[in-house]
Amino acid sequence: MCRLSVNINKIALIRNSRGANLPDLCQLAKDCQEFGAQGITVHPRPDERHIRFSDLSELKEVISTEFNIEGYPSDYFIKKVLEIKPHQVTLVPDSPDALTSTTGWDTNLHQELLKKIVGNLKDKGIRVSLFLNPDPTLIESAQRTGTDRIELYTGGYAYNYGIDMSQAITPHIQTANAAIEAHLGLNAGHDLNLDNLEFYYNQIPELLEVSIGHSIICDALYFGLQNTIAMYLNKLQ
Ligand code: PXP
């Protein structure tokens, strides 16, 4: 089974634009789960322009599926996730001013940093996933960090899907196979949508989780949240 984890950053962005608690992030998280989502993802960024670090403990209370917190492992981020203890932390190499994540870790260059942080999180019982570009040569060094999983960055796949889907998926299949051989679990995310998700899911062996935000919220404007989640779940059958 591949879990659909709904990234609710965009909901926080709308809430923050008016100052009050509308839409209500916790209610939205509850509703996503009620509608069938098997996880909730948030990505608090240093400027807190969408998810705020103060949202995390309230979200933890209402998430009955799987709570995934993504982010750059600054000291503050690590302190907060150790307090909250979500099911999974996905480490991304974003700079503080990044608009969105656009690349994965260089697991060779950042080996020592990642090893220390992964060990720290795992000691507290938190599963760790590393955001990684689709490149099978990174798997050996990713495995050496001690991570449980990798999350394949699917931005390039999404961009190239309409041009040549077979070429777009090839490095993902190669990296997925290397990850499976190295006993690493496999997640994926970024720019997945109703057009490109089904092919990705059918081509990638042993995909455990996709985290999807932007497209789900955009589609929900037209189809409603409940229908939209059902449509995405349908692609993962
Ligand atoms: N994975 C990571 C590491 C991300 O930073 C994001 C965006 O916050 C996503 C997945 C989800 O991407 P999208 O919003 O394009 O579905």
Side-chain angles (χ1 to χ4, degrees), residues 7 43 45 70 92 100-101 131 151 189-191 211-214:
N7 179 319
H43 190 149
R45 292 187 182 272
E70 305 171 342
V92 298
T100 185
S101 312
F131 198 49
E151 179 183 324
H190 221 287
D191 299 301
S211 67
I212 308 181
H214 191 76

Side-chain angles (χ1 to χ4, degrees), residues 22-35:
L22 192 70
D24 180 330
L25 203 60
C26 286
Q27 186 59 50
L28 195 287
K30 281 200 244 177
D31 291 339
C32 286
Q33 296 174 108
E34 178 75 26
F35 299 154

Side-chain angles (χ1 to χ4, degrees), residues 4 6 26-40 62-65 225-227 229-230 233:
L4 172 65
V6 176
C26 286
Q27 186 59 50
L28 195 287
K30 281 200 244 177
D31 291 339
C32 286
Q33 296 174 108
E34 178 75 26
F35 299 154
Q38 296 113 340
I40 299 293
V62 299
I63 294 175
S64 55
T65 53
L225 188 60
Q226 185 164 8
N227 287 332
I229 289 177
L233 288 172

Side-chain angles (χ1 to χ4, degrees), residues 7 9-10 41-43 45 50 68 70-71 90-92 94 99-102 131 151-154 188-193 211-216:
N7 179 319
N9 276 19
K10 287 278 140 51
T41 292
V42 296
H43 190 149
R45 292 187 182 272
H50 28 60
N68 175 43
E70 305 171 342
T90 301
L91 301 175
V92 298
D94 295 356
L99 192 59
T100 185
S101 312
T102 52
F131 198 49
E151 179 183 324
L152 284 174
Y153 169 53
T154 48
H190 221 287
D191 299 301
L192 293 172
N193 59 36
S211 67
I212 308 181
H214 191 76
S215 298
I216 288 185

Side-chain angles (χ1 to χ4, degrees), residues 104-121:
W105 288 99
D106 180 335
T107 40
N108 284 304
L109 188 63
H110 298 111
Q111 179 66 214
E112 289 316 309
L113 171 81
L114 290 171
K115 201 179 266 179
K116 188 171 134 242
I117 290 165
V118 168
N120 198 359
L121 293 168

Side-chain angles (χ1 to χ4, degrees), residues 63-104:
I63 294 175
S64 55
T65 53
E66 186 192 270
F67 192 14
N68 175 43
I69 304 181
E70 305 171 342
Y72 179 82
S74 64
D75 291 347
Y76 187 66
F77 176 88
I78 293 298
K79 177 175 171 287
K80 286 296 174 188
V81 294
L82 288 176
E83 279 168 24
I84 300 295
K85 292 206 189 85
H87 300 97
Q88 177 174 271
V89 168
T90 301
L91 301 175
V92 298
D94 295 356
S95 62
D97 58 348
L99 192 59
T100 185
S101 312
T102 52
T103 191

